[in-house]
Amino acid sequence: MLRQNFSFKGFLIPRYIIGAMLPYMVLALLLLTAILLAQQASRLTDVLIYTDLPLTLLGGIGAALLPGVLTFSIPLAALAGIIIGYSRMGSDSEIVAMRSAGVGSWTMIWPALLIGLLLSGATTYLHLKEAPEAARDLERIALEGALAKLDSPVEPRTFSTLPRYVIYVRDGDKALGTWGRVFIFAQQTEKTTDVYTARSGRIDSSGDQSELVLSDVLAAKFPVVNQQGQNVAAPRARPDPRGPLNTDGQKSYVVERFEQLRFSINTGRADIVQRLNQRDTNADSMDWSELRERTQTGTEAQQREAARILNRRAALSIAPFVFALVGASLGLRVRRGGRSVGVLLSLVVVIVYYLMSLLGESLARAGTMSPYVGPWLATVFIVAVSFLFLFVRRVPFLPQRGTRITKERPGKRPQSAEMAVRFNKTLAFPNLLDATLLRSLVLSFVVCFAALAAIFNIFTLFELWRFIAVTQAGAGLVARYLFFLLPLVAVELFPATMLVAVLVTYALLARRQEAIAWWASGQSVYRLMLPGLCFALAVAFGSWLIQEHVMPGSNLKQDALRARIRGGEARAITRTGRQWLASTDTRRFYSYEFADDGSLIEPTVYELDADAVHLAQVVSGKSATWSDATHLKMLDTETLALNGMEVVRRADAETVFAGVESPAVFKPTIDKPSQLSAKDLHRYLDAAKQRGIDVSSMAVALQRKYAGPFSIIIMAIIGMPLAVSFGRKGTVIALCVAVVIGIAYWAVGGGFQQLGNHGLLRPTVAGWSPLLIFAAAGTYFISRVRT
């Protein structure tokens, strides 16, 4: 009998507790890793995908992001799994039963501590070895991507800006790096402007040097009219014997012809090569041995920084064990609420821990607190709170189980029979049970979104904290950034949130046998899914409104605020400033500033010859307005016409250009999809297509904007039948299915997007195929559900 008792308390109980926690832990790990990895990848989308870098570099970036994500998701998964597991056992009175059987608190706590200890070993290895190497790999991959882009930095039919140059190439092969019919604007001095037109060209790179090579070149030097620029390197050339100096009063004009022209160009290649070859001295990218060496051999400031980073990594490495301790101490106190209370407690602990961690890091960086103490502030606080929960008999704010006495009225029917009668009496939509189901859906959706958004923002803060400390960004600036980030977070997380909400709600419905009452009343499963479908439609409509009317403006502001936090200058992306535009036939190039009233300020028009190769004339003016949809009237103009190798100057009160594009084409636009509504992006694509620009990635982004709100509906269509099917086996299984579906949808969507960006699929196919695939899967799941 004693042996049986020892086996019961020493082995069976811990094994049961571990089994109760592990499913939630694995589920949380998969869900958090997928969300945080998608969040990190989305930040690189505009930089990497829309610059058309090789797929090998994109795969390397994903591998380099994973260790940093795991160092954050593993502690959170440990906390969530342990608290939810204990909360579920407490709400089912299993903990009370264990205590009644003589099982002590230590017997119930040490399985959680064992799991926390094992996970702490994994996070220690990641923090001390893998995460620093991944940070260096990510930096190296980013530099290699920038270097690969510099092999052909100019895209045909698009204005490209390099240091000291504005370049437009009409023809050419971006993959081979060859150009055809080239226009280059530069400024030699503060008083002269150079314009080069060539029949062909390329960039030759060797080591860290780059040379611009042009063939059949016409070089014209004019007095500065309106543009501002920087000096360029003097060219080395083999000129034709022609090249007269044209003078007009105090102004001089030089026109030269070259068979070939070569001059060095600063593409930034030398800096990138130097950064690739030199050792990274950033302490955040150093491993354990390098940091220890710096604490002994570096300067006083370097020693302090290295000590702070070492202690921060050590503190974060044991976070799973600390979370296991606080999770067990809190979970043993929960008697009501079950999993929902566990989720809320996990969220509170995560917020408190990481805010305390950021506070200690800030104090240590500022010198207010020792670098050996500041990083441990959050750990000490959480451990103290854990012992408080363990040794204090009653904690007022945690839900406790009480006794509730109800008097059953004589002749009252059972609840299931009452529910069936209600169904028979109220078949219309919506009825009382629909309202109950909608209320559960709304509650699940709000709780899930709040939890995911909080984790999303905490991870973002943790990522930016070293910049916040260095730039002394105030709490108000950071709060504004997080506020303007919220619309983007909402649009990104709504599909996953909807999937989890419908799975949890309908799985609980099936597990509590409430679905049987629906079917007992003669209603099919399709009627059961109607409230969920209506809720998904409402959320999808709200997501579309946010995406089209709120997110473009908020993304502009949050990008500017993020740049300020990271140490950039205070800047705002506006629809004003010097613009360059090529006409549809690419025989004219316009340089101008766009005024608020729709007029052009200090415009300059560069006109080419009939073959659209060499410069024919330059017309500059004080202002310009449209006399009608196709005629542009420029006032106070000066015309410099190239007559052979001579320059003829003419001044006019006004000059009218025919066949000019509409004012809408001249209006500046922001070409980042995340900062444009679908309407603005469609307008941008129409204007770009008229010039023959390759807009594959932008077209895919437009289709994904159209398809985005529908993904919320698809997630609901997939989630509801799966919840009804798997809900009888347990909510955990349904949530595991949700994680698998979410990861699959993200992977399939990303794969189709990559194929579309590289022109292997039509934009409509790349944007809508994932929805069609998962809609077909949802239809199949619905057909297999018992109706």
Side-chain angles (χ1 to χ4, degrees):
M1 185 67 181
L2 289 176
R3 182 177 300 174
Q4 290 178 353
N5 269 345
F6 177 78
S7 175
F8 176 74
K9 294 192 290 185
F11 178 72
L12 292 181
I13 292 297
R15 187 176 65 179
Y16 179 80
I17 292 174
I18 291 175
M21 294 184 297
L22 277 181
Y24 299 105
M25 207 171 296
V26 174
L27 172 66
L29 180 62
L30 291 175
L31 181 63
L32 292 172
T33 302
I35 291 174
L36 295 178
L37 193 60
Q39 182 251 4
Q40 288 294 292
S42 66
R43 294 198 178 281
L44 300 172
T45 298
D46 289 325
V47 179
L48 298 176
I49 293 178
Y50 295 106
T51 53
D52 198 23
L53 292 182
L55 290 174
T56 54
L57 289 181
L58 296 177
I61 287 172
L65 288 174
L66 187 59
V69 169
L70 288 176
T71 58
F72 193 82
S73 62
I74 288 177
L76 296 186
L79 175 66
I82 290 171
I83 288 187
I84 295 175
Y86 279 116
S87 299
R88 198 273 302 166
M89 289 188 293
S91 64
D92 291 345
S93 300
E94 293 178 4
I95 291 180
V96 175
M98 292 179 192
R99 293 190 184 279
S100 300
V103 179
S105 297
W106 169 247
T107 304
M108 290 186 284
I109 288 177
W110 76 256
L113 298 181
L114 177 63
I115 293 176
L117 188 62
L118 294 175
L119 292 180
S120 293
T123 53
T124 299
Y125 175 74
L126 289 173
H127 272 291
L128 301 185
K129 183 67 176 176
E130 292 298 328
E133 289 185 1
R136 288 195 295 264
D137 290 341
L138 189 61
E139 177 71 15
R140 176 183 54 80
I141 291 170
L143 292 174
E144 289 178 354
L147 201 60
K149 187 174 180 349
L150 288 180
D151 291 337
S152 181
V154 176
E155 186 174 344
R157 292 183 176 267
T158 302
F159 281 99
S160 302
T161 56
L162 296 176
R164 307 175 180 178
Y165 299 95
V166 176
I167 302 176
Y168 183 89
V169 176
R170 178 171 179 176
D171 308 314
D173 189 327
K174 184 179 179 182
L176 299 176
T178 57
W179 305 345
R181 291 189 280 187
V182 184
F183 172 87
I184 301 176
F185 168 85
Q187 187 171 340
Q188 285 279 43
T189 67
E190 294 181 355
K191 297 182 179 180
T192 59
T193 296
D194 282 3
V195 176
Y196 301 92
T197 53
R199 191 170 297 275
S200 62
R202 68 182 187 276
I203 288 183
D204 284 348
S205 299
S206 177
D208 59 354
Q209 300 296 323
S210 299
E211 277 194 333
L212 185 61
V213 183
L214 303 175
S215 301
D216 187 11
V217 186
L218 174 68
K221 180 179 292 185
F222 305 109
V224 171
V225 181
N226 299 314
Q227 292 78 9
Q228 297 179 355
Q230 300 177 1
N231 297 334
V232 295
R236 305 192 320 269
R238 296 196 300 270
D240 285 348
R242 301 167 292 173
L245 175 67
N246 299 271
T247 60
D248 181 10
Q250 296 181 349
K251 297 182 179 180
S252 62
Y253 313 93
V254 179
V255 181
E256 297 176 294
R257 293 294 297 266
F258 302 92
E259 293 179 2
Q260 187 180 72
L261 179 66
R262 303 176 68 97
F263 52 92
S264 61
I265 180 171
N266 180 19
T267 61
R269 186 182 185 89
D271 294 337
I272 295 175
V273 172
Q274 181 181 2
R275 291 174 63 186
L276 275 173
N277 293 331
Q278 72 182 8
R279 181 183 178 186
D280 190 0
T281 58
N282 184 10
D284 287 314
S285 301
M286 292 182 177
D287 59 20
W288 179 266
S289 60
E290 292 171 332
L291 287 173
R292 290 195 62 185
E293 181 182 354
R294 175 167 284 193
T295 58
Q296 299 172 359
T297 61
T299 63
E300 183 179 355
Q302 289 177 338
Q303 290 179 2
R304 186 178 182 87
E305 182 186 26
R308 176 181 54 78
I309 294 176
L310 277 175
N311 283 273
R312 182 189 67 188
R313 290 182 183 175
L316 294 177
S317 297
I318 66 170
F321 182 80
V322 174
F323 282 169
L325 179 61
V326 70
S329 60
L330 279 173
L332 289 176
R333 295 278 185 170
V334 176
R335 294 293 180 268
R336 287 192 306 173
R339 301 175 186 88
S340 59
V341 172
V343 172
L344 293 176
L345 289 176
S346 302
L347 186 59
V348 171
V349 172
V350 167
I351 293 174
V352 171
Y353 177 83
Y354 282 104
L355 287 180
M356 292 290 294
S357 178
L358 295 177
L359 175 62
E361 177 82 5
S362 177
L363 294 175
R365 190 185 290 269
T368 307
M369 188 174 288
S370 169
Y372 295 94
V373 177
W376 294 95
L377 184 63
T379 302
V380 173
F381 177 78
I382 293 297
V383 170
V385 171
S386 302
F387 282 110
L388 175 66
F389 288 142
L390 285 175
F391 295 109
V392 174
R393 183 174 298 274
R394 181 179 178 85
V395 182
F397 61 83
L398 289 178
Q400 305 290 331
R401 179 178 296 276
T403 57
R404 183 174 59 185
I405 302 175
T406 58
K407 296 181 179 180
E408 185 176 344
R409 298 176 184 176
K412 184 177 180 180
R413 289 172 293 189
Q415 184 178 1
S416 59
E418 183 72 22
M419 188 178 295
V421 172
R422 287 185 191 171
F423 272 116
N424 290 328
K425 290 183 177 180
T426 57
L427 296 176
F429 178 84
N431 56 34
L432 182 60
L433 292 171
D434 291 321
T436 302
L437 188 56
L438 284 172
R439 185 166 59 250
S440 299
L441 280 170
V442 171
L443 180 61
S444 299
F445 186 88
V446 171
V447 171
C448 181
F449 177 74
L452 294 179
I455 293 172
F456 192 100
N457 285 333
I458 289 172
F459 189 77
T460 301
L461 273 179
F462 210 74
E463 177 192 7
L464 292 175
W465 186 249
R466 62 191 181 98
F467 301 106
I468 295 173
V470 170
T471 59
Q472 300 296 321
L477 177 62
V478 176
R480 286 171 56 205
Y481 167 69
L482 294 179
F483 175 76
F484 288 114
L485 183 66
L486 189 59
L488 176 64
V489 173
V491 173
E492 292 289 336
L493 295 182
F494 273 1
T497 306
M498 177 58 66
L499 179 63
V500 174
V502 296
L503 277 168
V504 170
T505 302
Y506 281 89
L508 290 176
L509 190 72
R511 185 174 178 82
R512 295 168 182 169
Q513 306 299 324
E514 294 178 19
I516 296 177
W518 286 77
W519 298 325
S521 65
Q523 300 191 58
S524 68
V525 71
Y526 309 117
R527 177 62 179 81
L528 179 63
M529 297 178 185
L530 184 58
L533 182 60
C534 293
F535 179 67
L537 287 171
V539 174
F541 181 70
S543 177
W544 173 259
L545 292 179
I546 294 173
Q547 174 184 285
E548 293 302 299
H549 301 287
V550 180
M551 194 174 75
S554 67
N555 279 351
L556 284 172
K557 295 176 181 178
Q558 64 101 350
D559 282 345
L561 293 171
R562 183 181 177 87
R564 289 178 59 187
I565 292 173
R566 291 178 65 93
E569 297 179 357
R571 58 189 174 92
I573 302 173
T574 64
R575 296 181 180 270
T576 61
R578 201 78 192 170
Q579 306 291 325
W580 284 86
L581 180 70
S583 63
T584 304
D585 57 4
T586 65
R587 288 192 57 215
R588 285 180 186 159
F589 300 104
Y590 306 92
S591 177
Y592 59 93
E593 290 187 19
F594 196 88
D596 294 336
D597 59 0
S599 63
L600 305 184
I601 302 173
E602 295 186 346
T604 302
V605 179
Y606 300 88
E607 289 193 328
L608 306 183
D609 57 20
D611 296 330
V613 176
H614 293 304
L615 188 66
Q617 71 173 8
V618 181
V619 182
S620 58
K622 184 178 181 180
S623 63
T625 56
W626 275 261
S627 55
D628 57 44
T630 59
H631 288 79
L632 180 68
K633 183 172 66 174
M634 191 181 297
L635 304 179
D636 296 334
T637 61
E638 179 186 58
T639 302
L640 303 176
L642 276 66
N643 186 10
M645 300 299 296
E646 297 182 355
V647 178
V648 179
R649 177 179 176 274
R650 185 179 73 251
D652 299 294
E654 67 177 43
T655 301
V656 178
F657 293 91
V660 179
E661 287 75 11
S662 65
V665 177
F666 280 77
K667 186 176 182 180
T669 183
I670 301 163
D671 57 0
K672 287 183 68 174
S674 61
Q675 296 173 350
L676 294 171
S677 65
K679 182 179 179 180
D680 291 337
L681 184 56
H682 188 275
R683 187 183 299 116
Y684 172 84
L685 289 175
D686 288 342
K689 287 177 181 177
Q690 292 179 1
R691 297 168 180 78
I693 299 175
D694 181 15
V695 291
S696 299
S697 59
M698 296 292 179
V700 174
L702 176 62
Q703 297 302 322
R704 287 175 66 88
K705 279 184 176 290
Y706 290 145
F710 290 96
S711 63
I712 298 173
I713 303 172
I714 298 301
M715 291 297 102
I717 292 175
I718 291 177
M720 288 185 290
L722 287 178
V724 174
S725 299
F726 290 99
R728 304 184 192 96
K729 302 176 183 179
T731 311
V732 175
I733 296 179
L735 290 175
C736 290
V737 172
V739 172
V740 173
I741 292 173
I743 294 175
Y745 181 78
W746 177 66
V748 171
F752 274 94
Q753 183 180 9
Q754 288 296 318
L755 294 175
N757 289 336
H758 289 82
L760 301 178
L761 289 177
R762 293 176 60 86
T764 51
V765 176
W768 289 91
S769 291
L771 285 183
L772 295 178
I773 292 172
F774 281 83
T779 304
Y780 172 77
F781 292 147
I782 291 176
S783 67
R784 302 295 296 177
V785 175
R786 185 180 62 182
T787 60

